[in-house]
Structures are given as structure tokens and as C-alpha cells.
Amino acid sequence: MYEFIFYLSSVIAVIAAGAILVVRHPVHAALYLIVSLLALALLFFLLGAPLLAAFQVMLYAGAILVLFLFMMMVMNLRTERNLPLLLPANWGGMALLALLLWLVLLLLLSRSSLDMADNIMVIGPTAVGNALFGPYLVVVEAAAILLLAALVAALYLSRKGKR
């Protein structure tokens, strides 16, 4: 049963990631990215890393996507034809994928947690903290500085005629 849930959520992640590449509106792409990141969080949960799944939802699907949407508003990104966001044809695909992902999560949570505990080795917060801030402390800090520099560069490049 867990294999079926694993493959179904991985198919949802791949379809949502592919839809990011073909949609024309940047906000729609961000919404498909949210669905893809939530499917990846479910995959992390199935692989025995519930803490990593929670980080995936809080950091990537939450904070980073809010930052992306903020940058889209600051840079005033438009497409050649502005499509209304509220038409069902525009949000129907991502809503269907999100509903399917929600049903998969409900199916997973309806199963016995004892059966899940027997099949999956859980990685705790101590192991994640030791891995991130042990040998990879410099890499984590460098990634944070690189993301900050990219944000400042994007804000600088989005200014119109204020040089």
C-alpha cells in the first residue's frame, strides 16, 4: 500500500513540476511549484523523514514561495496576454493535483501508525541538526549568503530608470 502511495505522490510531483515549465503566467507556475513541493514533502514523510517533510512544507512551500510571489510583484512580471487568475480553466489543473495529493495524504493517515512504524526508520531532529551544522556548517552559511545576494541583485535589476 505504501508503494502505491509513494508512486502516486511521485507522479503528482512530476506532473506538477512539468506544468511549471508549460504555464504562461508566473503566479500559476508558483502555485504548481507549491503542489510539487507538497508532493515531495509527502515523499519525505513516506521515506521516514517527517522532520524533513515539515521543513519542506514550512520553508519551501511556505516562506520561499512567499518570497517568490513578492519578487514577482516587485518586478511586475507580466505575460504577453494577461490571463485572469480566477477562471476555472486556469486553476483547474493545480486544484485537481492538490485534491489528489490531499486524498493520498488522507489515505496515508487513515492507515495504522503501528504498521508504518514497523516499515519506516524515522530520522529525528538531532540527526538532522548534527548533519546540517556539523560538517556542512560552512556550506549552509554560504548558501544563505548566496540567496541573500541573489535577492539583492534581483531587486537592483528590477528598478526602472533609477540609476
Side-chain angles (χ1 to χ4, degrees):
M1 185 64 186
Y2 292 113
E3 292 85 12
F4 173 72
I5 294 173
F6 180 83
Y7 289 126
L8 186 61
S9 58
S10 62
V11 165
I12 291 172
V14 168
I15 290 172
I20 293 169
L21 302 174
V22 297
V23 295
R24 293 186 180 207
H25 202 285
V27 175
H28 293 160
L31 292 175
Y32 274 115
L33 184 59
I34 290 174
V35 171
S36 177
L37 290 173
L38 290 176
L40 287 176
L42 184 60
L43 289 174
F44 286 143
F45 184 75
L46 285 171
L47 290 174
L51 182 69
L52 193 58
F55 283 164
Q56 178 84 11
V57 170
M58 287 186 297
L59 293 178
Y60 289 112
I64 301 296
L65 259 296
V66 167
L67 182 67
F68 282 173
L69 291 174
F70 173 72
M71 290 302 297
M72 285 179 204
M73 290 188 302
V74 166
M75 294 173 61
N76 200 12
L77 292 178
R78 299 274 188 236
T79 57
E80 43 290 339
R81 42 174 229 178
N82 286 327
L83 300 173
L85 291 175
L86 297 178
L87 289 178
N90 293 332
W91 56 265
M94 65 190 97
L96 179 69
L97 288 175
L99 177 68
L100 189 59
L101 189 62
W102 181 255
L103 292 175
V104 167
L105 181 64
L106 288 179
L107 179 67
L108 177 67
L109 293 178
S110 69
R111 297 290 170 201
S112 172
S113 63
L114 297 174
D115 183 35
M116 188 174 179
D118 293 339
N119 294 334
I120 298 174
M121 181 185 80
V122 176
I123 301 168
T126 305
V128 173
N130 288 338
L132 279 180
F133 298 114
Y136 301 114
L137 178 64
V138 175
V139 175
V140 170
E141 293 297 325
I145 291 172
L146 181 66
L147 287 173
L148 179 64
L151 176 65
V152 170
L155 284 173
Y156 178 74
L157 292 174
S158 69
R159 297 186 329 173
K160 292 183 180 179
K162 298 179 183 176
R163 294 188 178 162

PDB file of all heavy atoms in Angstrom, residues 40-54:
ATOM      1  N   LEU A  40       6.536  16.403  -2.737  1.00  0.00           N
ATOM      2  CA  LEU A  40       7.860  15.988  -2.275  1.00  0.00           C
ATOM      3  C   LEU A  40       7.897  15.846  -0.759  1.00  0.00           C
ATOM      4  O   LEU A  40       8.582  14.963  -0.225  1.00  0.00           O
ATOM      5  CB  LEU A  40       8.919  16.986  -2.737  1.00  0.00           C
ATOM      6  CG  LEU A  40       9.258  16.937  -4.208  1.00  0.00           C
ATOM      7  CD1 LEU A  40      10.239  18.048  -4.555  1.00  0.00           C
ATOM      8  CD2 LEU A  40       9.829  15.595  -4.586  1.00  0.00           C
ATOM      9  N   ALA A  41       7.169  16.698  -0.044  1.00  0.00           N
ATOM     10  CA  ALA A  41       7.098  16.567   1.415  1.00  0.00           C
ATOM     11  C   ALA A  41       6.434  15.245   1.807  1.00  0.00           C
ATOM     12  O   ALA A  41       6.863  14.582   2.756  1.00  0.00           O
ATOM     13  CB  ALA A  41       6.336  17.743   2.011  1.00  0.00           C
ATOM     14  N   LEU A  42       5.417  14.856   1.060  1.00  0.00           N
ATOM     15  CA  LEU A  42       4.784  13.563   1.327  1.00  0.00           C
ATOM     16  C   LEU A  42       5.748  12.412   1.045  1.00  0.00           C
ATOM     17  O   LEU A  42       5.781  11.420   1.786  1.00  0.00           O
ATOM     18  CB  LEU A  42       3.518  13.420   0.489  1.00  0.00           C
ATOM     19  CG  LEU A  42       2.686  12.168   0.728  1.00  0.00           C
ATOM     20  CD1 LEU A  42       2.224  12.107   2.172  1.00  0.00           C
ATOM     21  CD2 LEU A  42       1.506  12.139  -0.195  1.00  0.00           C
ATOM     22  N   LEU A  43       6.565  12.561   0.014  1.00  0.00           N
ATOM     23  CA  LEU A  43       7.574  11.536  -0.265  1.00  0.00           C
ATOM     24  C   LEU A  43       8.602  11.451   0.864  1.00  0.00           C
ATOM     25  O   LEU A  43       9.013  10.359   1.266  1.00  0.00           O
ATOM     26  CB  LEU A  43       8.275  11.829  -1.589  1.00  0.00           C
ATOM     27  CG  LEU A  43       7.452  11.615  -2.843  1.00  0.00           C
ATOM     28  CD1 LEU A  43       8.219  12.074  -4.071  1.00  0.00           C
ATOM     29  CD2 LEU A  43       7.033  10.171  -2.975  1.00  0.00           C
ATOM     30  N   PHE A  44       9.024  12.607   1.378  1.00  0.00           N
ATOM     31  CA  PHE A  44       9.952  12.590   2.513  1.00  0.00           C
ATOM     32  C   PHE A  44       9.328  11.908   3.721  1.00  0.00           C
ATOM     33  O   PHE A  44       9.989  11.167   4.439  1.00  0.00           O
ATOM     34  CB  PHE A  44      10.372  14.015   2.893  1.00  0.00           C
ATOM     35  CG  PHE A  44      11.332  14.641   1.939  1.00  0.00           C
ATOM     36  CD1 PHE A  44      11.237  15.987   1.639  1.00  0.00           C
ATOM     37  CD2 PHE A  44      12.340  13.907   1.346  1.00  0.00           C
ATOM     38  CE1 PHE A  44      12.123  16.579   0.761  1.00  0.00           C
ATOM     39  CE2 PHE A  44      13.221  14.485   0.459  1.00  0.00           C
ATOM     40  CZ  PHE A  44      13.118  15.825   0.176  1.00  0.00           C
ATOM     41  N   PHE A  45       8.042  12.177   3.950  1.00  0.00           N
ATOM     42  CA  PHE A  45       7.354  11.541   5.074  1.00  0.00           C
ATOM     43  C   PHE A  45       7.296  10.028   4.901  1.00  0.00           C
ATOM     44  O   PHE A  45       7.494   9.279   5.851  1.00  0.00           O
ATOM     45  CB  PHE A  45       5.946  12.125   5.201  1.00  0.00           C
ATOM     46  CG  PHE A  45       5.187  11.606   6.378  1.00  0.00           C
ATOM     47  CD1 PHE A  45       5.492  12.051   7.647  1.00  0.00           C
ATOM     48  CD2 PHE A  45       4.184  10.671   6.214  1.00  0.00           C
ATOM     49  CE1 PHE A  45       4.800  11.577   8.745  1.00  0.00           C
ATOM     50  CE2 PHE A  45       3.490  10.185   7.300  1.00  0.00           C
ATOM     51  CZ  PHE A  45       3.792  10.639   8.581  1.00  0.00           C
ATOM     52  N   LEU A  46       7.038   9.591   3.681  1.00  0.00           N
ATOM     53  CA  LEU A  46       6.983   8.148   3.425  1.00  0.00           C
ATOM     54  C   LEU A  46       8.352   7.489   3.555  1.00  0.00           C
ATOM     55  O   LEU A  46       8.437   6.307   3.883  1.00  0.00           O
ATOM     56  CB  LEU A  46       6.424   7.881   2.033  1.00  0.00           C
ATOM     57  CG  LEU A  46       4.927   8.067   1.873  1.00  0.00           C
ATOM     58  CD1 LEU A  46       4.539   7.977   0.414  1.00  0.00           C
ATOM     59  CD2 LEU A  46       4.177   7.058   2.695  1.00  0.00           C
ATOM     60  N   LEU A  47       9.404   8.235   3.291  1.00  0.00           N
ATOM     61  CA  LEU A  47      10.752   7.673   3.385  1.00  0.00           C
ATOM     62  C   LEU A  47      11.307   7.706   4.809  1.00  0.00           C
ATOM     63  O   LEU A  47      12.447   7.322   5.021  1.00  0.00           O
ATOM     64  CB  LEU A  47      11.697   8.415   2.441  1.00  0.00           C
ATOM     65  CG  LEU A  47      11.438   8.162   0.963  1.00  0.00           C
ATOM     66  CD1 LEU A  47      12.328   9.042   0.109  1.00  0.00           C
ATOM     67  CD2 LEU A  47      11.655   6.696   0.621  1.00  0.00           C
ATOM     68  N   GLY A  48      10.509   8.180   5.767  1.00  0.00           N
ATOM     69  CA  GLY A  48      10.923   8.123   7.159  1.00  0.00           C
ATOM     70  C   GLY A  48      11.570   9.385   7.674  1.00  0.00           C
ATOM     71  O   GLY A  48      12.296   9.337   8.661  1.00  0.00           O
ATOM     72  N   ALA A  49      11.333  10.500   7.039  1.00  0.00           N
ATOM     73  CA  ALA A  49      11.901  11.767   7.492  1.00  0.00           C
ATOM     74  C   ALA A  49      10.777  12.776   7.708  1.00  0.00           C
ATOM     75  O   ALA A  49      10.604  13.704   6.921  1.00  0.00           O
ATOM     76  CB  ALA A  49      12.906  12.285   6.481  1.00  0.00           C
ATOM     77  N   PRO A  50       9.995  12.616   8.781  1.00  0.00           N
ATOM     78  CA  PRO A  50       8.888  13.554   8.987  1.00  0.00           C
ATOM     79  C   PRO A  50       9.370  14.976   9.294  1.00  0.00           C
ATOM     80  O   PRO A  50       8.698  15.941   8.959  1.00  0.00           O
ATOM     81  CB  PRO A  50       8.114  12.962  10.166  1.00  0.00           C
ATOM     82  CG  PRO A  50       9.082  12.076  10.848  1.00  0.00           C
ATOM     83  CD  PRO A  50      10.026  11.580   9.795  1.00  0.00           C
ATOM     84  N   LEU A  51      10.529  15.100   9.924  1.00  0.00           N
ATOM     85  CA  LEU A  51      11.062  16.430  10.198  1.00  0.00           C
ATOM     86  C   LEU A  51      11.434  17.136   8.893  1.00  0.00           C
ATOM     87  O   LEU A  51      11.150  18.322   8.709  1.00  0.00           O
ATOM     88  CB  LEU A  51      12.282  16.339  11.113  1.00  0.00           C
ATOM     89  CG  LEU A  51      12.896  17.670  11.506  1.00  0.00           C
ATOM     90  CD1 LEU A  51      11.960  18.428  12.421  1.00  0.00           C
ATOM     91  CD2 LEU A  51      14.231  17.465  12.168  1.00  0.00           C
ATOM     92  N   LEU A  52      12.045  16.406   7.969  1.00  0.00           N
ATOM     93  CA  LEU A  52      12.380  16.972   6.673  1.00  0.00           C
ATOM     94  C   LEU A  52      11.121  17.327   5.885  1.00  0.00           C
ATOM     95  O   LEU A  52      11.092  18.340   5.178  1.00  0.00           O
ATOM     96  CB  LEU A  52      13.255  15.994   5.896  1.00  0.00           C
ATOM     97  CG  LEU A  52      13.949  16.513   4.665  1.00  0.00           C
ATOM     98  CD1 LEU A  52      14.836  17.691   5.016  1.00  0.00           C
ATOM     99  CD2 LEU A  52      14.774  15.418   4.036  1.00  0.00           C
ATOM    100  N   ALA A  53      10.078  16.527   6.029  1.00  0.00           N
ATOM    101  CA  ALA A  53       8.802  16.844   5.377  1.00  0.00           C
ATOM    102  C   ALA A  53       8.205  18.120   5.948  1.00  0.00           C
ATOM    103  O   ALA A  53       7.694  18.964   5.204  1.00  0.00           O
ATOM    104  CB  ALA A  53       7.832  15.685   5.541  1.00  0.00           C
ATOM    105  N   ALA A  54       8.299  18.287   7.257  1.00  0.00           N
ATOM    106  CA  ALA A  54       7.789  19.519   7.880  1.00  0.00           C
ATOM    107  C   ALA A  54       8.615  20.726   7.446  1.00  0.00           C
ATOM    108  O   ALA A  54       8.065  21.793   7.178  1.00  0.00           O
ATOM    109  CB  ALA A  54       7.814  19.381   9.398  1.00  0.00           C
TER     110      ALA A  54
END
